[in-house]
Amino acid sequence: MKKLSRRARIATGGAVIAAVAAGTFGTVSANASSATSATSAYSAGAAPVANVKSGDTVTSSRLSVDAAAEAAQAALDAAEKENQKVTVAVVDRDGNTVVTLRGDGAGPQSYESAQRKAYTAVSWNAPTSELAKRLAQAPNLKDIPGTLFLAGGTPVAVKGAPVAGIGVAGAPSGDLDEKFAAAGVAALGQ
């Protein structure tokens, strides 16, 4: 690799400093103009504070990251004991992915399928094998974005209310996927 002369290093350094300064100036200018318009919107100079009554808010339980990781690992361990290559996903009450473990050799489709099964299970607070049976009466359920009505998803509930969903995909049958997801749920009760 050719070494740059002192003059070339100084010129390169000057160009970098000029680029950084121009970016910083643009950011400062943009922030200053937004700050000016924001402060003019509030004559007191501070954002209003709402004193919300306690009855106007709700608190929701969520599975901790540690618990989600424990459940996912238990489901993956159960699959590996039966030589199955699967992916396990745990989603929170809102369907956001908390943990995903892709087992060695799991197919590429299993990642998204596991997430969608977990989302479907928590959304309806029911195992996806049961939900798949409901499609006969309501076939349009399958059109809801993000859902997958195949066996392999199991909800996690506290006092009957769903707090998470565990989805498993990649085994040769949905029944096996759901068996492994149930092993993840069972690990939380120990």
Side-chain angles (χ1 to χ4, degrees):
M1 183 170 175
K2 186 176 176 182
K3 190 173 182 180
L4 294 175
S5 69
R6 182 169 187 221
R7 177 181 275 169
R9 286 187 304 221
I10 291 171
T12 303
V16 169
I17 290 170
V20 170
T24 302
F25 177 75
T27 303
V28 170
S29 296
N31 289 340
S33 65
S34 7
T36 304
S37 61
T39 54
S40 65
Y42 303 109
S43 59
V49 176
N51 291 320
V52 179
K53 298 179 292 205
S54 64
D56 290 342
T57 63
V58 295
T59 302
S60 101
S61 297
R62 297 190 183 279
L63 202 58
S64 71
V65 172
D66 290 341
E70 179 184 339
Q73 189 62 57
L76 187 60
D77 290 347
E80 288 175 346
K81 283 180 185 172
E82 296 190 28
N83 296 316
Q84 298 302 315
K85 296 168 176 48
V86 301
T87 297
V88 180
V90 180
V91 301
D92 67 12
R93 174 62 188 112
D94 298 325
N96 299 310
T97 303
V98 179
V99 174
T100 303
L101 296 178
R102 185 170 178 214
D104 293 335
Q109 78 289 353
S110 65
Y111 188 87
E112 182 179 351
S113 297
Q115 289 177 321
R116 290 175 61 190
K117 288 177 182 184
Y119 174 79
T120 305
V122 74
S123 295
W124 277 274
N125 196 25
T128 53
S129 59
E130 288 180 24
L131 296 170
K133 296 172 189 171
R134 294 183 193 176
L135 288 178
Q137 288 78 31
N140 290 345
L141 281 178
K142 70 182 179 332
D143 297 332
I144 297 172
T147 59
L148 186 58
F149 292 88
L150 297 174
T154 305
V156 177
V158 173
K159 297 180 184 174
V163 297
I166 300 175
V168 177
S173 76
D175 292 338
L176 280 174
D177 286 338
E178 203 157 299
K179 174 183 171 183
F180 305 141
V185 174
L188 294 172
Q190 297 176 359

